Amino acid sequence: MLPVTPVFIKSKETLQQLSLLLDRERLAYGEQNSKLIIDLSNEKQSLLDEMNTLNEKRINILIKFDIVNRKKPTEKEFKDWLSKQDSSFDDLRLLIVECEALLNLCKNKNNTNARILLTLQKRNKHLFELLQGHNEKNKVYTARGSTKPISSKHTLGRA
């Protein structure tokens, strides 16, 4: 049996943890708990670092067993090799399918969280501009072509 199976098992566990963490991150955005969001972000980075390490380990094993090209290893090479193997590799095939499904789930959850974060950032920027007395109508173009609010003399802070 190919010693890459334990790497995929660990990858699956890490992806499951990442999926749960992304759910918690989404809830933290809803609660607007900045401390929790920062903690979850650090946890997420740690899990992503672990996934990168596991990926490097997997590639090194595949190179060592001469399954993929040493100079430019690709997933296609590995999958082509795996498709030619007998039924004793069915467990590995299933594990790979599960990992790919989890990875896609994590990508979707992360994209959803990114959209939520962008919406929160826009809302907070708008509220901040309101506090500063900026108005959508009182904007000018900068040298780069973007818009910049003009300060008003009647801000909430001066009221």
Side-chain angles (χ1 to χ4, degrees):
M1 183 60 56
L2 195 63
V4 77
T5 302
V7 175
F8 277 106
I9 291 171
K10 183 64 178 160
S11 293
K12 180 181 172 184
E13 292 169 0
T14 304
L15 286 167
Q16 288 170 332
Q17 291 174 352
L18 183 60
S19 177
L20 293 172
L21 185 134
L22 289 166
D23 290 337
R24 290 175 35 215
E25 183 182 58
R26 184 173 183 179
L27 292 173
Y29 287 150
E31 296 169 1
Q32 298 179 20
N33 184 340
S34 58
K35 167 109 174 71
L36 181 59
I37 292 169
I38 291 169
D39 291 344
L40 290 173
S41 177
N42 291 332
E43 254 184 89
K44 184 165 60 168
Q45 186 59 53
S46 172
L47 288 173
L48 292 174
D49 290 343
E50 184 176 343
M51 284 301 299
N52 283 335
T53 302
L54 288 168
N55 192 41
E56 287 174 15
K57 189 174 185 179
R58 178 181 61 87
I59 289 170
N60 288 334
I61 291 170
L62 295 175
I63 288 172
K64 180 180 176 184
F65 281 85
D66 207 26
I67 294 171
V68 296
N69 186 328
R70 289 185 181 281
K71 293 181 180 176
K72 202 171 183 183
T74 65
E75 288 296 315
K76 185 177 180 339
E77 284 179 300
F78 173 58
K79 287 186 176 183
D80 288 346
W81 176 87
L82 190 60
S83 69
K84 295 174 186 171
Q85 304 309 307
D86 61 18
S87 62
S88 65
F89 284 87
D90 284 348
D91 289 342
L92 179 59
R93 287 184 190 99
L94 179 62
L95 193 56
I96 291 171
V97 167
E98 290 172 345
C99 285
E100 287 174 346
L102 278 168
L103 181 61
N104 286 330
L105 178 66
C106 288
K107 284 180 180 179
N108 287 335
K109 287 181 179 184
N110 194 54
N111 287 336
T112 299
N113 289 354
R115 286 192 307 272
I116 290 169
L117 182 60
L118 182 63
T119 300
L120 289 172
Q121 287 174 334
K122 284 180 181 179
R123 188 194 73 198
N124 288 342
K125 180 182 177 198
H126 178 71
L127 291 174
F128 182 67
E129 287 177 354
L130 283 175
L131 285 172
Q132 288 182 319
H134 298 226
N135 183 323
E136 284 293 317
K137 296 176 185 171
N138 296 338
K139 289 193 175 189
V140 294
Y141 285 100
T142 65
R144 297 180 129 195
S146 59
T147 58
K148 174 177 146 183
I150 301 173
S151 233
S152 171
K153 294 180 183 177
H154 304 290
T155 63
L156 276 160
R158 292 185 182 153

